[in-house]
């Protein structure tokens, strides 16, 4: 019998950010693909618990270049792609309530960072008012990192189905 020692390098399932995807939704997909928590990701990346704040869309203070580089290295994603999951520093975010365009979500099921911009109340693509709660039971939406099933966590109505009750935006 051999007494060889095997060195297994740590591996992760690479997850690429989607166009316009929010940092919260992206981190949630990465967590699920790798069976990790935000805390574990932050610890392994060397940035600490700050990742759990980003999952909640709390971006004050704004992520530093060094934090983004460390996280990008750990999750094996280009830092530029990771940066695209964040708003530009000149845009004011509103982390609550979580907003959703159910029509967009029905087309591509992920949370867009632009929906959380403070001054954004409508979807420019569909000219629909953004939703802030379930159209069936009125439960506020959870953070996008927790959108594993794409449905209301209370009544289980799929987000895409909510588009039927999404109102046209009028000024």
């Amino acid at each position: 019998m051999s007494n060889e020692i095997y060195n297994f390098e740590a591996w992760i399932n690479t997850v690429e950010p989607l166009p316009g995807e929010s940092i919260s939704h992206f981190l949630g997909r990465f967590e699920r693909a790798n069976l990790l928590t935000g805390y574990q990701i932050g610890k392994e990346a060397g940035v600490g618990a700050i990742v759990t704040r980003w999952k909640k869309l709390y971006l004050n203070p704004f992520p530093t270049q060094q934090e983004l580089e460390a996280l990008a290295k750990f999750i094996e994603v280009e830092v530029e792609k990771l940066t695209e999951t964040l708003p530009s520093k000149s845009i004011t975010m509103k982390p609550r309530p979580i907003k959703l365009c159910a029509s967009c979500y029905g087309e591509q099921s992920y949370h867009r960072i632009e929906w959380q911009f403070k001054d954004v109340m409508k979807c420019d693509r569909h000219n629909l008012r953004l939703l802030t709660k379930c159209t069936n039971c009125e439960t506020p939406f959870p953070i996008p990192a927790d959108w594993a099933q794409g449905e209301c966590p209370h009544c289980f109505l799929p987000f895409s189905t909510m588009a039927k009750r999404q109102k046209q935006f009028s000024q």
Side-chain angles (χ1 to χ4, degrees):
M1 184 181 251
S2 171
N3 286 340
E4 292 180 53
I5 297 176
Y6 295 95
N7 288 326
F8 292 99
E9 288 190 31
W11 57 271
I12 61 164
N13 291 312
T14 304
V15 176
E16 289 287 324
L18 300 167
E21 184 175 22
S22 71
I23 185 82
S24 176
H25 194 269
F26 170 72
L27 289 170
R29 288 192 310 113
F30 183 85
E31 285 179 339
R32 288 186 291 280
N34 290 282
L35 304 175
L36 295 170
T37 66
Y39 178 78
Q40 290 169 320
I41 294 167
K43 183 179 175 189
E44 292 299 321
V47 296
I50 194 77
V51 172
T52 60
R53 288 184 50 78
W54 299 343
K55 279 179 44 183
K56 297 173 187 173
L57 295 171
Y58 296 146
L59 303 174
N60 189 7
F62 199 81
T64 66
Q65 187 65 27
Q66 293 80 11
E67 290 169 333
L68 292 173
E69 288 171 1
L71 180 59
K73 182 178 179 184
F74 172 69
I75 64 176
E76 299 180 4
V77 168
E78 294 173 25
V79 72
E80 293 78 18
K81 287 188 177 188
L82 185 58
T83 302
E84 291 173 6
T85 67
L86 299 167
S88 72
K89 289 182 182 179
S90 63
I91 294 180
T92 304
M93 287 276 295
K94 187 174 181 189
R96 298 291 175 281
I98 299 298
K99 297 185 270 184
L100 163 75
C101 174
S103 290
C104 284
Y105 195 87
E107 295 166 3
Q108 294 180 309
S109 53
Y110 62 93
H111 182 263
R112 313 311 192 273
I113 191 65
E114 68 188 45
W115 296 339
Q116 294 306 132
F117 296 170
K118 183 180 179 188
D119 295 333
V120 173
M121 300 297 174
K122 72 172 182 124
C123 170
D124 284 337
R125 182 179 168 141
H126 297 102
N127 198 40
L128 295 172
R129 183 171 298 281
L130 293 176
L131 301 172
T132 58
K133 57 189 174 187
C134 177
T135 59
N136 183 52
C137 71
E138 299 192 357
T139 298
F141 296 123
I143 62 170
D146 294 341
W147 290 9
Q149 303 299 321
E151 63 190 17
C152 173
H154 185 258
C155 73
F156 308 108
L157 182 70
F159 291 158
S160 58
T161 304
M162 295 179 193
K164 295 173 188 168
R165 289 178 148 167
Q166 206 169 350
K167 296 184 178 10
Q168 287 289 317
F169 186 84
S170 59
Q171 298 212 353

